[in-house]
């Protein structure tokens, strides 16, 4: 291909050039109008004008608002419950004034068992409240949505009311158990490991549920008690305990000997590191509690940590006996009355008895 052929192809033919005006200039070729695009825009605008917005602004919008409000309420309630359970788990750091002593101890919050117990109580209360609120919000939301959709809920509510009344009469004991269990947990009446007295049952708590509480008695028996049957609880594992000791002394013992025995016993008790941790304050001698013909009883009280009064009492009595032996003092025996028959009994015979009052100590020596 030579240069002439290329020039011939690139040069437009005279027939393709449109005639221009009289001055010999050429005019541009006119572009066709986009009538298809304008038609599409007009149809879209017309459909938007004819669309029925009243339907979407009616029932669907109300249902959407109901659902959004329900979700918002559920979220707010969940946050409130979480804050409430965190406050339960944190507990309160109460301080116990130690009478004449200036020392004070943390009653709550430092014991690992107490912290674990509070955490378990918080989880139980939180899960229960979250479940209840979720169910209530869901039921109310569903009923409102069905009402907006045009369903008549009056027969359903009437039937549910009748069924609820029937279930209430039939399951009132079950409801009572669950309500009692809920308040036992939320009020922290007792927890796992506490030593409690429920009236007929005494022992250590092994499990606390919303319906059943399990108590392990001293003889090993595991008692299953419905929470609705628990009317009163004596908990010796909360706050502090008191060891009450009634110490018998011989009637002829003087005040100096009595004070020396008690002082040495207290000194020995406080010298033991393990027992000293259990004491919240120094033992207090209240004075003479009882006087008889053979003994003088002096009462001593010791404030201890929860549940430690038993071990402190046993150790105190053990050393008290040792201190009496060191001073040649003995625990006085109780007075006993012995009846001896005088002569055989026969027909027409009159029974004759001799009444003799002796002390157990003298009788034991005989």
């Amino acid at each position: 291909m030579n240069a002439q052929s290329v020039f011939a192809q690139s040069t437009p033919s005279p027939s393709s050039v449109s005639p221009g005006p009289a001055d010999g200039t050429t005019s541009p070729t006119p572009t066709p109008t986009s009538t298809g695009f304008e038609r599409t825009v007009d149809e879209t605008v017309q459909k938007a004008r004819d669309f029925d917005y009243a339907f979407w602004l009616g029932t669907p919008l109300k249902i959407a608002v109901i659902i959004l409000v329900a979700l918002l309420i559920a979220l707010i309630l969940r946050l409130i419950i979480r804050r409430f359970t965190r406050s339960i788990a944190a507990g309160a750091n109460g301080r116990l004034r130690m009478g004449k002593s200036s020392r004070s101890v943390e009653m709550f919050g430092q014991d690992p068992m107490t912290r674990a117990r509070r955490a378990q109580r918080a989880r139980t209360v939180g899960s229960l409240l979250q479940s209840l609120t979720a169910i209530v919000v869901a039921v109310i939301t569903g009923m409102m949505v069905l009402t907006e959709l045009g369903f008549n809920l009056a027969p359903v509510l009437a039937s549910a009311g009748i069924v609820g009344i029937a279930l209430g009469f039939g399951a009132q004991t079950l409801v009572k158990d669950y309500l009692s269990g809920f308040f036992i947990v939320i009020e922290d009446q007792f927890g796992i490991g506490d030593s409690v007295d429920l009236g007929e049952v005494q022992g250590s708590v092994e499990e606390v549920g919303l319906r059943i509480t399990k108590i392990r008695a001293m003889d090993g028996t595991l008692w299953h008690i419905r929470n609705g049957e628990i009317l009163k609880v004596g908990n010796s594992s909360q706050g502090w305990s008191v060891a009450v000791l009634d110490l018998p002394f011989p009637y002829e013992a003087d005040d100096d000997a009595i004070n020396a025995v008690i002082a040495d016993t207290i000194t020995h008790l406080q010298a033991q590191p393990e027992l000293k941790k259990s004491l919240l304050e120094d033992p207090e001698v209240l004075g003479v509690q009882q006087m008889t013909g053979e003994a003088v009883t002096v009462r001593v009280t010791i404030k201890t940590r929860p549940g430690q009064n038993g071990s402190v009492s046993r150790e105190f009595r053990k050393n008290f006996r040792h201190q009496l032996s060191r001073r040649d003092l003995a625990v006085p025996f109780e007075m006993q009355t012995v009846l001896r028959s005088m002569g055989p009994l026969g027909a027409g015979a009159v029974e004759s008895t001799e009444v003799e009052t002796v002390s157990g100590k003298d009788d034991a020596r005989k």
Side-chain angles (χ1 to χ4, degrees):
M1 180 178 300
N2 51 20
Q4 295 179 355
S5 59
V6 173
F7 179 79
Q9 292 180 1
S10 61
T11 303
S13 60
S15 59
S16 63
V17 177
S18 60
D23 57 357
T25 61
T26 60
S27 61
T29 304
T31 57
T33 58
S34 55
T35 57
F37 176 74
E38 292 179 354
R39 188 182 301 111
T40 304
V41 172
D42 293 339
E43 292 177 356
T44 303
V45 172
Q46 187 64 30
K47 289 180 180 180
R49 290 176 179 176
D50 298 338
F51 186 78
D52 187 11
Y53 291 98
F55 172 76
W56 294 102
L57 294 177
T59 301
L61 182 61
K62 292 181 180 179
I63 293 176
V65 171
I66 290 173
I67 294 175
L68 290 177
V69 172
L71 293 177
L72 181 62
I73 292 175
L75 179 61
I76 294 174
L77 292 176
R78 185 178 293 270
L79 293 177
I80 294 174
I81 292 172
R82 287 181 179 177
R83 184 175 180 180
F84 177 65
T85 53
R86 282 197 299 267
S87 65
I88 294 178
N93 292 329
R95 290 187 174 272
L96 176 65
R97 299 299 302 174
M98 306 307 301
K100 298 179 181 180
S101 176
S102 61
R103 294 182 299 133
S104 62
V105 297
E106 293 289 340
M107 293 171 54
F108 307 103
Q110 299 299 330
D111 188 8
M113 181 178 296
T114 303
R115 291 196 298 268
R117 171 174 155 184
R118 285 203 307 263
Q120 180 191 16
R121 183 162 57 97
R123 288 194 300 268
T124 303
V125 174
S127 62
L128 179 61
L129 292 178
Q130 288 182 2
S131 300
L132 289 177
T133 54
I135 292 173
V136 171
V137 172
V139 170
I140 295 177
T141 303
M143 294 175 61
M144 295 179 67
V145 169
L146 292 177
T147 303
E148 291 297 331
L149 292 176
F151 290 92
N152 186 12
L153 299 181
V156 177
L157 294 177
S159 302
I162 296 174
V163 173
I165 293 174
L167 291 177
F169 280 109
Q172 56 182 347
T173 302
L174 187 64
V175 174
K176 180 181 178 182
D177 293 340
Y178 276 102
L179 288 177
S180 299
F182 173 75
F183 284 107
I184 286 174
V185 173
I186 197 173
E187 294 174 358
D188 194 22
Q189 297 180 13
F190 53 83
I192 298 176
D194 286 356
S195 179
V196 297
D197 183 357
L198 304 183
E200 297 182 357
V201 179
Q202 300 177 5
S204 177
V205 180
E206 289 200 349
E207 183 178 340
V208 180
L210 292 178
R211 194 179 73 87
I212 292 293
T213 296
K214 297 181 180 180
I215 306 294
R216 179 75 65 176
M218 293 296 294
D219 58 356
T221 304
L222 182 63
W223 291 87
H224 299 257
I225 305 174
R226 296 198 343 258
N227 293 328
E229 295 181 345
I230 300 176
L231 302 180
K232 57 182 179 180
V233 180
N235 193 335
S236 59
S237 301
Q238 289 183 343
W240 42 267
S241 300
V242 176
V244 181
L245 299 159
D246 289 333
L247 308 177
F249 289 91
Y251 190 83
E252 62 273 10
D254 57 4
D255 294 341
D256 294 336
I258 293 176
N259 294 332
V261 169
I262 295 177
D264 291 345
T265 305
I266 293 175
T267 302
H268 175 79
L269 189 70
Q270 294 176 337
Q272 303 183 38
E274 294 299 328
L275 290 178
K276 189 175 181 180
K277 295 179 181 179
S278 302
L279 303 180
L280 297 182
E281 64 180 28
D282 296 333
E284 183 179 2
V285 181
L286 299 183
V288 178
Q289 180 69 18
Q290 184 180 5
M291 291 182 60
T292 61
E294 65 274 358
V296 176
T297 303
V298 179
R299 173 162 291 185
V300 177
T301 59
I302 308 174
K303 186 173 290 186
T304 67
R305 290 185 179 273
Q308 300 297 319
N309 55 337
S311 59
V312 172
S313 299
R314 287 188 290 270
E315 185 63 27
F316 192 96
R317 293 190 184 97
K318 175 183 176 181
N319 191 257
F320 171 72
R321 176 177 175 273
H322 176 67
Q323 296 297 332
L324 287 178
S325 300
R326 286 181 54 193
R327 292 168 175 81
D328 294 330
L329 297 176
V331 177
F333 289 89
E334 295 181 357
M335 194 70 70
Q336 298 178 356
T337 301
V338 180
L339 300 178
R340 292 193 177 96
S341 176
M342 305 298 292
L345 295 177
V350 179
E351 181 181 1
S352 172
T353 60
E354 178 184 355
V355 180
E356 180 181 2
T357 303
V358 297
S359 66
K361 182 177 179 180
D362 297 336
D363 188 65
R365 290 178 178 177
K366 293 179 181 179

